Amino acid sequence: MQISVTRTTAPKAKTPDNELGFGRVFSDHMFLMDWNIDKGWYDPRIVPFGDFSLSPSCAVFHYGAEVFEGLKAYRTVTGEIRLFRPDKNFERLVNSAERVSLPAPDPADAVEALRALVDIDRDWVPHSEGTSLYVRPFIIATDVNLGVHGTKNALFAIILSPSGSYYKEGINPVKIMIETEDVRTVRGGTGYAKCGGNYAASTRAGDKASKMGFSQVLWLDGVERKYIEEVGSMNVMFKLGDTVVTPKLTGSVLPGITRMSIVELLKDRGVKVEERLFSVDELVAAAASGELKEAWGTGTAAVVSPIGELAYDGKEYIVNGGNIGELTQSLYDELTAIQWGKVEDKKGWTVKV
Ligand SMILES: *Cc1c(COP(=O)(O)O)cnc(C)c1O
């Protein structure tokens, strides 16, 4: 792939690491590539970060024709810049795009584009502990036509956002509300795809939970409202006795790369992991009996997020005294040590830029 590069003539001032937050600051450049049904992918280019000019009739504005990814570039303790499992993100982007009839670039090309972009903006990878350069690849349908039809034109873009430490105030367990009205997705729907529409469907419940003092909602399946699926935009895991249980990938659960990595680390340790249907009744019974030892969410943003309290059907269940569990903490430590280059990456999960 021949990527053309147009460098900015007006580099922006960098925001101090402690003022970054999440998703508000963007680097100097972005990667763009167009697609047409006859030409395929063309014109891969790195250009100054800036606004798009699109017809108001573009399909992305009307029919939710959008898929995205989220991953991070880290500045390691040895001063290198490394991406965490970017190949997995771009493989998932292909699956997401296929579900909503969008084209997706070849994962190897996308990794190459991302490395070239991060290399140009390498000074934008923040330095402080816990910070990272958040990477947001996405694909939108750009057809100038209100008719509902298969996509004929699309745009693939990657933007970069330096982000502050997720755990600036330390790792505090969160309160979760089990959502019994809204569902995020259904079997046969788009749950396994990372598409904007899934977020549109889940924002209302998140807002409601937030007003009631909860950080996230725990989603139940959309057919029976019985089986646990995910927590907010994270996958979820429970330690029951000595076994870790996580909902299996039924098609309505997003196949998280953090989930996949944590399951592998657990299995390496010899911990029994069950990927299966797990009902909310089984969960609250285990919480009430004390069999539920720990609970946590997994995702790129938080890596591991301990759950300290679950609310369901007017009752509240405290997990591990509201504290982070030993296993939760050790998984966070083990995975972030690989990401931050504190230990040798024996798995080959990180890619140097
Ligand atoms: C992105 C996402 C996750 C987490 O996936 P990771 O690859 O671990 O970041 C989980 N659930 C939903 C709904 C998501 O969009």
Side-chain angles (χ1 to χ4, degrees), residues 255-275:
I257 292 153
T258 319
R259 174 190 184 278
M260 176 198 293
S261 307
I262 295 269
V263 165
E264 193 172 323
L265 294 179
L266 284 166
K267 288 183 176 168
D268 288 352
R269 292 181 187 192
V271 175
K272 189 163 165 229
V273 181
E274 291 175 1
E275 298 181 54

Side-chain angles (χ1 to χ4, degrees), residues 83-137:
L83 297 158
F84 185 70
R85 309 191 83 176
D87 50 324
K88 295 290 174 210
N89 289 90
F90 290 118
E91 283 165 19
R92 185 169 65 190
L93 188 63
V94 171
N95 295 334
S96 298
E98 195 277 334
R99 178 62 186 83
V100 297
S101 287
L102 282 171
D106 176 69
D109 286 346
V111 172
E112 186 189 331
L114 175 57
R115 289 175 77 177
L117 178 65
V118 173
D119 188 31
I120 283 186
D121 277 345
R122 57 194 306 125
D123 290 348
W124 284 91
V125 183
H127 288 77
S128 309
E129 169 143 23
T131 61
S132 60
L133 183 70
Y134 183 77
V135 176
R136 170 54 58 87

Side-chain angles (χ1 to χ4, degrees), residues 72 74 76 83-85 237 256-266 268-269 296-305 327-345 347 349-350:
K72 285 174 174 178
Y74 300 89
T76 67
L83 297 158
F84 185 70
R85 309 191 83 176
M237 299 185 181
I257 292 153
T258 319
R259 174 190 184 278
M260 176 198 293
S261 307
I262 295 269
V263 165
E264 193 172 323
L265 294 179
L266 284 166
D268 288 352
R269 292 181 187 192
W296 64 92
T298 68
T300 295
V303 184
V304 167
S305 174
L327 181 62
T328 311
Q329 179 74 57
S330 76
L331 289 168
Y332 176 81
D333 292 343
E334 185 175 0
L335 192 50
T336 54
I338 295 171
Q339 293 169 335
W340 298 341
K342 289 183 172 175
V343 294
E344 187 198 341
D345 173 16
K347 301 264 181 203
W349 281 347
T350 63

Side-chain angles (χ1 to χ4, degrees), residues 111-264:
V111 172
E112 186 189 331
L114 175 57
R115 289 175 77 177
L117 178 65
V118 173
D119 188 31
I120 283 186
D121 277 345
R122 57 194 306 125
D123 290 348
W124 284 91
V125 183
H127 288 77
S128 309
E129 169 143 23
T131 61
S132 60
L133 183 70
Y134 183 77
V135 176
R136 170 54 58 87
F138 61 104
I139 302 167
I140 59 173
T142 54
D143 291 321
V144 179
N145 185 340
L146 291 180
V148 179
H149 56 70
T151 304
K152 294 193 176 66
N153 293 281
L155 174 72
F156 170 57
I158 308 176
I159 56 175
L160 306 175
S161 178
S163 297
S165 172
Y166 193 90
Y167 290 118
K168 252 203 319 219
E169 270 111 54
I171 308 187
N172 291 315
V174 294
K175 286 171 70 174
I176 301 291
M177 191 185 88
I178 302 181
E179 172 62 37
T180 51
E181 282 170 26
D182 288 0
V183 297
R184 194 183 78 91
T185 178
V186 294
R187 247 167 282 156
T190 53
Y192 69 87
K194 212 166 171 78
C195 64
N198 290 343
Y199 279 70
S202 56
T203 304
R204 181 173 76 173
D207 289 348
K208 183 178 76 180
S210 161
K211 280 196 195 104
M212 293 168 71
F214 297 92
S215 320
Q216 302 268 6
V217 301
L218 193 146
W219 298 107
L220 300 180
D221 78 274
V223 179
E224 295 175 79
R225 291 190 206 174
K226 178 173 169 192
Y227 297 106
I228 308 256
E229 301 225 304
E230 303 198 39
V231 49
S233 50
M234 288 185 282
N235 295 110
V236 67
M237 299 185 181
F238 304 95
K239 182 174 178 240
L240 297 188
D242 290 326
T243 301
V244 172
V245 179
T246 189
K248 73 171 181 181
L249 302 176
T250 51
S252 48
V253 173
L254 198 288
I257 292 153
T258 319
R259 174 190 184 278
M260 176 198 293
S261 307
I262 295 269
V263 165
E264 193 172 323

